Amino acid sequence: MNTKFIEQAKRLQGLETTFTVFSQAIKTPFITCDEETFNDQVWVFVTEDQAKAFCKKRLEENQDILMVVKMENNQLLPFYSSLYFLGVNELVFTEEEKTTKMPLEDLVREPDYSKLPKEQQPLLNPQMQLTGIYFMQELHRRKPNNEKPKLRELEEEMAVNLVRSKFLVALEVDGEKIEKGGKNVRIPCVKNSEGKMFQPVFTDAKEFGRFNKDKNFKASLVEFVNIKKIINDNVEGMVVNPQTLNIVITKDRIPVLLDRFAAKKED
């Protein structure tokens, strides 16, 4: 660890409680991009009042709708580790008048699954998650006259990562094994506020677990380039991480995205 951050890291790790802020719309940690370093940051505060003041300032200046989340000490390590899966690489630690920008790697080690057999390595989509969060944060900002000049650029960045991603798909299997041709398999759907049906897909095991709380489904891995093959005729399309990001992609958009961004997969 960089000696510059040892004192603050120990202080942060020793706190009984800390406070962070989440996007109220998508229920994920609120992420900012440093204007100078372009580091992707999550904010942590010593007191609830500091966190509330941050939320108030973001609402007044940027129209961000945020909520304060309290974390106990035993929740900190898994929370910090999970930030790697969102593409976050920096923590902004605010204590009284002092603010420290701390590299995430100096606080907690990045999980390494490379030594596991390939079939046991979990699916991770940090860039898809990161660009999806930035896009949805911007989308849900309450701007006057709905003025969101960054939205198109953020949408394109997200679309590039969407096309290059693999996803987990929930399967409801009648019996112990999947029969040839998948005759005993059904793919569950979710309904939006307008009553339209979409098939959910998930960026990682954690997001799949939010949907599969009752353990009724099995997970299957599907690349986006093949996603059209599993979309049923009676649904409108797919939805990415319905419990959080809730990014809707209609069936007619899938070939458009592939035509436009598939060439960028190897960039």
Side-chain angles (χ1 to χ4, degrees):
M1 179 184 293
N2 191 320
T3 56
K4 176 182 177 181
F5 303 111
I6 290 178
E7 182 180 345
Q8 286 298 86
K10 288 182 177 179
R11 167 69 173 148
L12 184 55
Q13 292 169 337
L15 293 171
E16 291 186 8
T17 59
T18 54
F19 300 86
T20 188
V21 290
F22 275 52
S23 167
Q24 191 167 307
I26 59 177
K27 307 299 186 295
T28 60
F30 179 69
I31 301 176
T32 58
C33 182
D34 189 285
E35 293 183 355
E36 296 181 357
T37 65
F38 301 105
N39 285 330
D40 301 295
Q41 310 163 320
V42 162
W43 294 67
V44 176
F45 304 86
V46 172
T47 70
E48 185 175 12
D49 286 343
Q50 287 177 320
K52 287 181 176 179
F54 177 85
C55 292
K56 182 180 179 182
K57 183 178 181 181
R58 293 293 311 194
L59 177 62
E60 293 173 348
E61 296 182 358
N62 301 87
Q63 299 300 303
D64 290 309
I65 312 299
L66 307 179
M67 60 183 181
V68 176
V69 175
K70 179 180 178 180
M71 294 187 296
E72 303 295 341
N73 185 272
N74 62 358
Q75 297 175 296
L76 296 181
L77 181 58
F79 173 71
Y80 297 148
S81 296
S82 72
L83 296 179
Y84 281 109
F85 307 147
L86 303 181
V88 172
N89 65 343
E90 187 169 76
L91 210 69
V92 184
F93 178 41
T94 302
E95 181 181 17
E96 297 176 354
E97 300 300 319
K98 186 175 183 179
T99 297
T100 304
K101 296 178 181 179
M102 190 179 305
L104 187 60
E105 63 183 6
D106 281 356
L107 184 65
V108 62
R109 184 178 299 175
E110 182 175 2
D112 182 10
Y113 301 108
S114 62
K115 295 182 181 180
L116 291 175
K118 190 172 182 179
E119 65 274 10
Q120 295 180 20
Q121 293 178 14
L123 174 66
L124 303 175
N125 276 311
Q127 287 305 115
M128 174 64 221
Q129 283 270 47
L130 182 66
T131 53
I133 288 173
Y134 277 134
F135 171 71
M136 295 305 288
Q137 285 179 175
E138 182 70 13
L139 182 67
H140 286 286
R141 287 190 171 112
R142 298 179 179 176
K143 293 289 188 179
N145 302 319
N146 207 32
E147 295 177 0
K148 299 172 183 177
K150 295 182 180 179
L151 194 61
R152 182 61 63 87
E153 178 183 348
L154 293 172
E155 183 179 24
E156 182 162 320
E157 291 177 3
M158 179 192 68
V160 171
N161 288 291
L162 180 79
V163 168
R164 67 175 56 159
S165 292
K166 298 177 182 178
F167 295 94
L168 294 176
V169 177
L171 304 178
E172 186 177 6
V173 181
D174 185 10
E176 293 297 321
K177 297 181 179 180
I178 298 177
E179 297 177 3
K180 188 176 181 180
K183 297 179 181 180
N184 63 331
V185 174
R186 293 181 296 274
I187 299 178
C189 300
V190 294
K191 185 184 296 185
N192 68 5
S193 58
E194 299 174 351
K196 296 180 179 180
M197 304 296 290
F198 294 86
Q199 288 179 200
V201 300
F202 309 92
T203 55
D204 51 61
K206 184 176 181 180
E207 288 292 338
F208 177 75
R210 296 179 194 271
F211 182 79
N212 192 33
K213 289 181 179 179
D214 296 329
K215 311 298 183 183
N216 294 326
F217 306 107
K218 299 181 184 296
S220 179
L221 192 66
V222 179
E223 294 187 35
F224 183 82
V225 293
N226 296 319
I227 208 80
K228 190 72 180 291
K229 298 177 183 178
I230 66 163
I231 302 294
N232 293 330
D233 293 337
N234 60 341
V235 300
E236 302 294 324
M238 59 181 277
V239 54
V240 180
N241 296 350
Q243 273 73 22
T244 54
L245 292 178
N246 198 35
I247 297 172
V248 171
I249 311 293
T250 57
K251 284 191 293 190
D252 61 311
R253 289 289 298 164
I254 294 174
V256 175
L257 291 171
L258 288 171
D259 288 343
R260 184 174 180 187
F261 298 112
K264 298 183 179 182
K265 287 182 65 178
E266 304 300 328
D267 289 357

